[in-house]
Amino acid sequence: MNKTLTLKASRYLNTLCNETGNRSVGSSGNIKATEFFEKIVSQSGWSIEKDRLDVMDWLPGSVSLTVNGKNFTAQASPYSKGCSVEAVLVSASDIDELEAADIESKALLLYGDIAKEQLMPKNFVFYNPESHRRVIALLEKKNPAAIICATGRNSSLAGGAYPFPLIEDGDFNIPSIYMTDIEGDQLLKFRGETIKLQSTAVRVDSKAYNLTASKGDAGLNRIIISAHIDAKKGTPGAIDNATGVIILLLLSELLSDYAGEYRIELTPFNGEDYYGVPGQMDFIRKNEGRFGDILLNINIDGAGYYEGDTAFSFYGIPESFRKIVIDEINKHAGVSEGPQWPQGDHSIFIQYGVPAIAVSSMWFTDNMEIQDITHTEKDRPEIVDINKTVKTAEILTEIIKKSSSI
Ligand SMILES: [Zn+2]
């Protein structure tokens, strides 16, 4: 193991998780993180493109909810407007009830079936089921004064948080809060009564940057290596996804003298964990009509967990190149082929027909349904095995150097 690289990787982890502050899009920590990225990769001679994104930051404030003198525990849905509402409590547990209910100007409690999985943000284009869009459209049409969401745990779709926010969408303008399903069952007893709800959450206009670091002429076919740099609010985001960014930073050094046949772009996407995915949308806009010259995407998200193997999964990779990659990972203990998983930025490339490799931790794909780490404060530097980030960067360097058969 390369000791100098290991030391650097540890320093990067400390910077991204302990020094910048939370890296949610639009926060000051997010800006510090992109500045840090720019500084490190510039040292190895990469050219930087820096696109400004106009985004919303958000302050959670506090929530007070009372009915008949009884207090309930709840928090503002991320990116929701604040509110001050006195209204009759009504409820809906599925779409038929929602359709039938008279909810205009009332306080609407969503619980049970309809609150089982996080509703995709209105303008999220990559995956947005009809059933979600129907719920959102109904809510906007019927216009309740506020929405109270009672949720359980849904690790595979909403990370490890309990309760999880049913609504997390800065483009949705009805104020909402969320609470545990247990608290929701108690609140349900007060249907028909008047509740008092105060939320001091505030939306704040802010900015962020989406970067591309490149090496090689603009006319060459491209390999894009990506790792989202943003994190959810409330988490240090060590595995999700400081480790991915660290691997990009190590690659910037390991590939500093790359002079092969491709243009290499290192892309710290800014927005994977943010409702509007602004960095990804920026990337798509810039690359519209140019996806054809991208031969390969390598996306790193969730790598470096201290337990289990580092997992490489494959999407549309030509067999000859896949064999080269498999031969490379077989040289290393603790690295293996993992199952495909769709929830990551590699899905953008797959949708455009670009072959992709995703790098993650086997433990997370194995425990997707039950883990309580992702998007919580448990995602700390202590759960990272820094040697795994160095090993992954070294393997990826070898793969890039052998990539002429893609
Ligand atoms: Zn992630």
Side-chain angles (χ1 to χ4, degrees):
M1 192 62 55
N2 184 324
K3 261 211 172 124
T4 324
L5 283 186
T6 309
L7 274 174
K8 282 186 181 170
S10 300
R11 277 215 314 273
Y12 299 159
L13 180 66
N14 184 51
T15 302
L16 290 165
C17 294
N18 299 328
E19 287 174 5
T20 61
N22 173 265
R23 305 187 304 277
S24 62
V25 174
S27 67
S28 62
N30 182 265
I31 289 181
K32 283 185 200 150
T34 47
E35 282 170 353
F36 176 67
F37 185 93
E38 188 178 358
K39 187 179 111 195
I40 299 294
V41 300
S42 304
Q43 288 166 1
S44 299
W46 294 71
S47 320
I48 308 278
E49 268 175 66
K50 189 172 181 178
D51 300 336
R52 183 191 155 122
L53 311 168
D54 291 311
V55 295
M56 181 200 294
D57 193 14
W58 180 79
L59 305 170
S62 62
V63 166
S64 99
L65 173 61
T66 55
V67 197
N68 281 356
K70 188 173 164 25
N71 291 309
F72 289 85
T73 304
Q75 51 197 316
S77 305
Y79 304 98
S80 167
K81 288 180 164 175
C83 64
S84 177
V85 166
E86 228 179 297
V88 173
L89 182 68
V90 293
S91 68
S93 67
D94 60 35
I95 188 107
D96 295 333
E97 273 183 37
L98 180 61
E99 201 125 30
D102 170 18
I103 61 175
E104 178 153 11
S105 305
K106 301 202 169 132
L108 170 66
L109 172 61
L110 295 176
Y111 70 104
D113 223 34
I114 203 167
K116 278 231 155 58
E117 58 181 60
Q118 189 168 47
L119 296 166
M120 293 319 274
K122 277 172 67 177
N123 296 318
F124 189 78
V125 293
F126 302 113
Y127 162 80
N128 212 328
E130 166 66 25
S131 58
H132 291 204
R133 283 183 281 141
R134 230 177 111 209
V135 171
I136 293 293
L138 266 175
L139 291 170
E140 289 187 324
K141 188 174 133 212
K142 294 183 154 236
N143 202 25
I147 302 168
I148 303 159
C149 311
T151 63
R153 187 189 293 284
N154 190 334
S155 298
S156 55
L157 292 171
Y162 171 66
F164 67 85
L166 183 67
I167 299 168
E168 182 168 348
D169 188 357
D171 295 316
F172 182 76
N173 290 327
I174 302 168
S176 78
I177 62 168
Y178 68 110
M179 57 173 48
T180 64
D181 42 6
I182 296 167
E183 196 76 347
D185 283 345
Q186 295 306 312
L187 182 61
L188 202 53
K189 296 174 183 162
F190 293 90
R191 263 179 301 196
E193 311 262 349
T194 297
I195 64 138
K196 274 191 189 169
L197 167 61
Q198 196 101 33
S199 162
T200 58
V202 201
R203 292 175 168 179
V204 184
D205 286 336
S206 189
K207 62 180 179 183
Y209 295 96
N210 203 51
L211 306 179
T212 308
S214 60
K215 203 166 266 295
D217 292 340
L220 297 172
N221 283 328
R222 294 182 285 161
I223 295 176
I224 300 207
I225 313 172
S226 53
H228 73 85
I229 196 165
D230 64 307
K232 276 275 184 219
K233 279 199 181 287
T235 174
I239 295 290
D240 186 18
N241 187 30
T243 48
V245 175
I246 291 164
I247 291 165
L248 290 188
L249 293 173
L250 296 174
L251 282 170
S252 74
E253 190 170 331
L254 289 165
L255 293 170
S256 62
D257 56 359
Y258 175 83
E261 61 195 287
Y262 303 122
R263 173 182 166 93
I264 310 286
E265 294 183 0
L266 306 177
T267 311
F269 278 126
N270 207 349
E272 205 267 343
D273 275 322
Y274 182 82
Y275 69 89
V277 283
Q280 286 78 347
M281 298 308 281
D282 174 64
F283 179 87
I284 290 170
R285 245 186 333 267
K286 285 175 59 157
N287 284 278
E288 203 63 77
R290 294 204 298 130
F291 274 87
D293 68 15
I294 304 172
L295 296 188
L296 174 69
N297 166 239
I298 299 170
N299 183 50
I300 311 145
D301 196 353
Y305 188 58
Y306 74 100
E307 233 179 272
D309 277 10
T310 297
F312 281 56
S313 54
F314 300 95
Y315 311 80
I317 299 290
E319 199 43 47
S320 56
F321 182 56
R322 178 193 165 98
K323 204 180 154 316
I324 289 171
V325 177
I326 295 277
D327 285 350
E328 196 55 47
I329 64 181
N330 283 345
K331 289 183 197 159
H332 303 268
V335 186
S336 52
E337 178 173 356
Q340 293 188 338
W341 52 283
Q343 310 95 322
D345 289 326
H346 48 288
S347 65
I348 298 171
F349 294 90
I350 298 164
Q351 283 186 17
Y352 279 88
V354 176
I357 297 174
V359 184
S360 192
S361 297
M362 198 70 93
W363 187 91
F364 277 89
T365 34
D366 284 350
N367 294 283
M368 191 90 83
E369 309 294 327
I370 52 161
Q371 57 94 4
D372 62 356
I373 296 170
T374 307
H375 302 167
T376 76
E377 55 196 26
K378 292 185 186 168
D379 186 5
R380 309 184 56 72
E382 289 79 358
I383 64 172
V384 171
D385 177 349
I386 205 69
N387 290 323
K388 290 182 177 171
T389 64
V390 176
K391 187 184 279 190
T392 303
E394 288 174 340
I395 291 171
L396 291 176
T397 303
E398 286 308 307
I399 291 173
I400 299 294
K401 287 183 175 164
K402 292 174 181 163
S403 62
S404 52
S405 59
I406 306 174

